[in-house]
Amino acid sequence: MLLLLAGAARPAFAQDQAPTGEPPAAVPVKPAAPAPTQPAPQPASAAPAAADSSDAELRALIPDSARAKPEDWARQPPAAPAESPPSAGMGSDVSPQDNAPLSATSPLADLPGFSLDWPKPDLQLPPLDSLQQETEAVSALAELTKKEEEVIPPPVPVERDARSLRRAEQAHYTLTWAAAIPERAALEVRFHELSALATPDPKPEKGKKPDPKNPDQELPQIAVRATTDRALLERLLQVYGYYDGEVIQSIGAITPGEAAAGVVPMVAFNIIPGTRYHFGEVSTGHLADTGKDFPGLRQSLGIKTGDPLHADAIPEGINSLQTALGEMGYPFAKIGAPELTVDHTREAGDLALEVTPDGQYHFGRIISGSPRFLSAGHLQDIARFKPGQLWRRSEVEDFRRAVLATGLVSSVTVTPQVEARPQPDAIGIVNTQVAMTPAPLHTISGEIGYDTAEGFRLATSWEHRNLFPPEGMLRLRGIAGTHEQMAGVTFRRSNFLGRDRLLTVDLYADNATLTAYAARKVAFAATYERQTTLLFQKPWVWSLGLQSEISDEREGVPSGITTGRTQYITTALPLRAAFDATDNLLDPHRGWRASLRFSPEISFARGDRATYGVIQGDASAYKRVSKSVVLAGRIRLGSITAGDLNDVAPSRRFYAGGGASIRGYGYELVGPRNDLGEPKGGRGLYEVSLEARVDTPWFGGGFQLVPFLDGGGVDPQVLPGFRDMRYGAGMGVRYKTSFGPIRLDIGTPLNRRQGDGPVAIAVALGQAF
């Protein structure tokens, strides 16, 4: 019967199995034909007598009709079940005939070969032995635990700061450490920044407000966030190498009275850091192929066997190694993804880096993708590297940024190309391929404004930045204003004979009628200089030039009496040198600057020739005295060595006053005056300024207040005599932008003379000095 079920009934049951949790449906099972009472006689072709007798018994169970025509026998409908009740043996799928309800007290049918007497209802179990020994063991354990607690003090909860209470309206939480670790402060900062409990809730749906008297509605959310924070703490422990660390989380209960008062549950995290793992074996692939460079490159990784395991050290070390490879001549070096294998038995992590240096190279040629636009020779003038020098990634990046700084291209792609592969006795050569996308080259600009000293002013200009390649700019400009009219043309060649070297040639005609002087002039000026830029702020800069002008000038403006104009022909060779040790070109916070200008000049006026020199020195210093305050000061001294003031054209004399000089006074209104009370300029100049630049939290920290005090004057003699010192004070504001601070200063003269206004306003880009 067991064999019959395995062969016929079981497939039907597996096919019609009921879903989990529900009893299986009654499945009709096709019974096999009744077995004969005696084994059938063996045919002549039967198996030898030595065959297994079990095979014969199996064959005996197969009906004769199934042997003769097996396909017809398989199509027959299932036979009706036998009249006699099925056996209660194991594996039976036939429902019992007796459908009477079962009773818990009714006995089960006897199983063949297995019998067990049911327990008697009045069975009495013997009493258990005394637990005196177990009780003594528990007492001993409690006593030992008490002694350990006396030796090891309980952990002290970490004091909660403002960051840990950002969700005080929802849940407080504390961090309790079972043992102090050096990385605790850094870990807590990262936890506070990423904590789910410290994340602000989304705005509630419109019309729905939380019930402050029912904190239970917040408990599930607090529990979920606390569980998330526990997992976060465990991950952070692993970041710092505590792979056996454990975090136990608990949420305290509150009383109904506390709930009515708005008290929220306390979430506590008990942190057991465990042992900190260390770095085990550190492999670097083929880095040893670099030969003599290997020790330095290996050291740049910053990770060695035995160091405390810190996950953040791995990407930092990879970046440092990649930088070192780029600075030591390996342009094609590759570093694969790091693999960290943690061995809990050794309490160590083995780090594997697949490093492929792929050869060391020197710089070769620069190849321009647009030679008629920017030639290879001009690009070589822009680059700081020369052919034959060791390849450095930083110099390539500096070169790319410098090409962008020309303003002639909108995008630059710099690609290294192999010219000669490295040999055992020679370093390889790699060329620099430069692909450029030209930017718009024409610019039209204009400005309009009003100044109390200069009146209305309208200025416009047109320029083509590459009319004479490479980087040959032509600019046409003009000014139409109340007190000035000007027209001029300028040619400028950038990066001329070297990086950041500028050749400028300017020709212009100007008519100015200012408070200090009136002048009509035609001028020519040429200057060659080394510039400092935002991209590369240089410590030393210099300039040399040639100036020549013819002008008709007079002191002051018509005041009821016409004094006439004097013609001046002036030629000058201006020279300038400057040193900059500050930390920022437009907005320095520390350091100092100094410059010296010397211009030997020859002047022809009234039939006489005069030779003199103009000397001017400037110095400024900057000091950060607190996190938000920078003190700045400057001094300026100047002298014109002419024998007589009238030998110098009025437009070339020293004046003081204005936004870049003594704030609070009008432009060029400080200094000696003529008989009509008009400024006439002088030969000796002295100025001093002091200001405090105070940062504020307004506008995202971009707003700055600047109280200032300026003083200075101009003397008619050659050397400054400090005899007529004028002072101005006021308040300025700065708004910081990516291209420098925008400045607005409002000052008032402290010892003003007749003709000086009560207030002067100056607006400009950049700090006053």
Side-chain angles (χ1 to χ4, degrees):
M1 185 61 185
L2 292 174
L3 292 174
L4 174 61
L5 290 174
R10 188 170 183 178
F13 178 78
Q15 180 178 359
D16 299 321
Q17 177 70 43
T20 304
E22 298 180 4
V27 180
V29 181
K30 177 181 179 179
T37 57
Q38 296 294 334
Q42 298 292 336
S45 60
D52 193 345
S53 60
S54 62
D55 293 343
E57 294 176 357
L58 290 174
R59 294 190 185 94
L61 296 175
I62 302 175
D64 295 338
S65 58
R67 294 182 180 180
K69 297 181 178 180
E71 294 181 358
D72 295 342
W73 180 85
R75 296 190 185 96
Q76 295 178 6
E83 294 297 332
S84 60
S87 172
M90 294 175 61
S92 177
D93 291 332
V94 182
S95 302
Q97 297 295 326
D98 188 5
N99 295 326
L102 297 178
S103 174
T105 58
S106 62
L108 296 174
D110 293 337
L111 298 177
F114 181 82
S115 62
L116 180 66
D117 295 335
W118 287 90
K120 298 179 180 180
D122 56 348
L123 179 64
Q124 298 292 329
L125 296 176
L128 297 176
D129 295 336
S130 173
L131 297 179
Q132 181 64 27
Q133 296 180 353
E134 288 80 355
T135 304
E136 293 176 356
V138 171
S139 300
L141 180 61
E143 185 67 22
L144 179 61
T145 303
K146 181 177 180 181
K147 292 181 180 180
E148 291 179 351
E149 291 177 349
E150 294 175 355
V151 176
I152 303 176
V156 179
V158 177
E159 295 183 2
R160 289 171 287 145
D161 53 19
R163 287 171 300 189
S164 64
L165 299 178
R166 283 187 296 180
R167 290 187 51 79
E169 73 283 357
Q170 178 122 15
H172 297 282
Y173 54 88
T174 59
L175 304 178
T176 304
W177 293 83
I181 62 174
E183 304 77 19
R184 174 175 129 183
L187 187 148
E188 289 184 357
V189 169
R190 297 174 73 168
F191 171 73
H192 292 317
E193 292 174 350
L194 302 173
S195 169
L197 287 169
T199 303
D201 287 331
K203 293 183 179 180
E205 298 181 10
K206 189 175 182 179
K208 293 185 178 181
K209 295 183 178 179
D211 185 3
K213 297 184 179 181
N214 185 17
D216 292 340
Q217 65 183 358
E218 302 289 348
L219 282 176
Q221 186 180 106
I222 294 175
V224 170
R225 292 182 174 179
T227 303
T228 302
D229 279 357
R230 183 188 65 186
L232 171 62
L233 284 168
E234 292 173 346
R235 291 197 304 272
L236 290 175
L237 286 172
Q238 293 184 2
V239 167
Y240 290 97
Y242 296 92
Y243 282 86
D244 294 334
E246 183 180 358
V247 179
I248 302 173
Q249 154 202 331
S250 60
I251 302 177
I254 59 176
T255 64
E258 291 175 332
V263 178
V264 293
M266 172 71 73
V267 181
F269 297 101
N270 296 313
I271 305 172
I272 307 173
T275 303
R276 188 178 190 182
Y277 285 28
H278 60 272
F279 280 105
E281 180 182 355
V282 180
S283 60
T284 54
H286 298 279
L287 186 62
D289 295 346
T290 57
K292 60 181 178 60
D293 295 330
F294 173 72
L297 291 171
R298 178 63 182 81
Q299 187 177 4
S300 69
L301 181 62
I303 300 174
K304 60 181 182 296
T305 301
D307 287 348
L309 202 158
H310 188 185
D312 290 343
I314 298 176
E316 292 174 1
I318 291 176
N319 290 337
S320 178
L321 177 58
Q322 189 76 62
T323 300
L325 285 166
E327 293 303 295
M328 297 181 71
Y330 297 90
F332 306 106
K334 297 181 179 63
I335 301 179
E339 295 183 1
L340 180 65
T341 304
V342 177
D343 187 342
H344 293 270
T345 303
R346 294 163 40 224
E347 296 182 343
D350 297 330
L351 176 63
L353 289 177
E354 189 57 38
V355 184
T356 307
D358 203 13
Q360 192 176 30
Y361 290 85
H362 281 159
F363 280 113
R365 298 174 295 117
I366 292 180
I367 302 173
S368 174
S370 305
R372 299 185 62 181
F373 183 69
L374 287 177
S375 64
H378 185 69
L379 292 175
Q380 186 64 69
D381 289 338
I382 295 177
R384 301 191 187 282
F385 55 84
K386 303 297 181 184
Q389 293 180 350
L390 189 65
W391 191 92
R392 297 184 186 277
R393 191 182 306 276
S394 60
E395 292 187 352
V396 174
E397 176 60 20
D398 174 80
F399 169 66
R400 187 191 67 83
R401 295 171 62 192
V403 175
L404 280 174
T406 63
L408 304 181
V409 297
S410 58
S411 65
V412 180
T413 302
V414 181
T415 307
Q417 291 185 348
V418 176
E419 181 172 303
R421 295 290 301 178
Q423 301 299 324
D425 57 344
I427 295 178
I429 299 176
V430 61
N431 296 328
T432 304
Q433 175 71 42
V434 183
M436 299 166 285
T437 302
L441 302 178
H442 299 84
T443 300
I444 299 176
S445 62
E447 64 175 274
I448 184 171
Y450 175 79
D451 185 271
T452 54
E454 300 182 11
F456 287 100
R457 174 186 173 92
L458 174 64
T460 183
S461 66
W462 171 93
E463 70 178 26
H464 189 301
R465 290 188 296 279
N466 202 34
L467 184 62
F468 306 100
E471 293 195 78
M473 181 208 73
L474 182 68
R475 175 186 294 159
L476 304 177
R477 69 187 193 278
I479 297 175
T482 305
H483 298 296
E484 184 181 13
Q485 302 82 41
M486 189 271 292
V489 56
T490 303
F491 169 80
R492 185 183 68 194
R493 174 83 73 182
S494 299
N495 296 308
F496 180 66
L497 300 179
R499 170 78 171 268
D500 293 334
R501 297 186 181 183
L502 187 66
L503 174 64
T504 304
V505 178
D506 195 14
L507 179 63
Y508 64 94
D510 181 74
N511 178 36
T513 307
L514 306 178
T515 304
Y517 61 85
R520 293 192 295 261
K521 67 175 63 177
V522 176
F524 167 84
T527 305
Y528 184 58
E529 60 183 316
R530 183 176 189 245
Q531 288 184 316
T532 184
T533 64
L534 295 175
L535 180 61
F536 180 37
Q537 183 177 345
K538 306 170 186 63
W540 282 103
V541 295
W542 48 263
S543 69
L544 54 92
L546 170 65
Q547 296 178 356
S548 181
E549 64 182 33
I550 302 175
S551 62
D552 290 335
E553 305 187 27
R554 67 179 172 215
E555 297 174 358
V557 297
S559 304
I561 300 176
T562 302
T563 60
R565 293 174 183 257
T566 301
Q567 185 179 79
Y568 292 87
I569 301 176
T570 306
T571 301
L573 295 174
L575 306 173
R576 180 179 180 272
F579 181 81
D580 190 345
T582 62
D583 60 339
N584 189 281
L585 186 62
L586 295 179
D587 188 14
H589 296 154
R590 63 179 181 273
W592 59 276
R593 293 171 178 165
S595 67
L596 178 64
R597 183 174 70 93
F598 173 66
S599 177
E601 300 183 5
I602 299 177
S603 175
F604 294 90
R606 306 179 189 88
D608 296 329
R609 186 185 74 173
T611 302
Y612 56 89
V614 179
I615 304 173
Q616 179 177 315
D618 292 85
S620 58
Y622 311 89
K623 174 72 173 180
R624 180 177 288 280
V625 296
S626 70
K627 185 177 180 180
S628 59
V629 179
V630 173
L631 291 182
R634 75 171 181 95
I635 185 172
R636 172 178 293 171
L637 296 174
S639 175
I640 300 177
T641 62
D644 188 276
L645 183 62
N646 293 324
D647 294 336
V648 183
S651 62
R652 303 183 70 87
R653 299 170 185 171
F654 282 136
Y655 299 89
S661 179
I662 306 174
R663 288 165 286 187
Y665 293 86
Y667 178 65
E668 297 184 340
L669 297 185
V670 175
R673 299 186 179 185
N674 58 21
D675 296 336
L676 301 176
E678 301 162 341
K680 60 181 299 183
R683 291 181 293 173
L685 172 68
Y686 48 96
E687 294 178 358
V688 62
S689 297
L690 181 66
E691 66 182 25
R693 300 167 184 175
V694 183
D695 294 329
T696 71
W698 305 328
F699 298 96
F703 196 77
Q704 194 176 64
L705 296 177
V706 182
F708 60 83
L709 174 64
D710 298 336
V714 176
D715 290 338
Q717 64 273 14
V718 174
L719 296 178
F722 309 98
R723 297 183 180 89
D724 190 19
M725 198 82 166
R726 296 290 153 181
Y727 297 95
M731 176 66 71
V733 296
R734 310 286 187 267
Y735 181 72
K736 299 179 181 180
T737 67
S738 59
F739 50 85
I742 298 175
R743 172 168 61 101
L744 171 63
D745 288 331
I746 303 176
T748 183
L750 300 183
N751 54 340
R752 62 176 179 161
R753 298 177 298 180
Q754 185 178 1
D756 294 330
V759 174
I761 299 175
V763 180
L765 177 64
Q767 297 286 2
F769 55 89

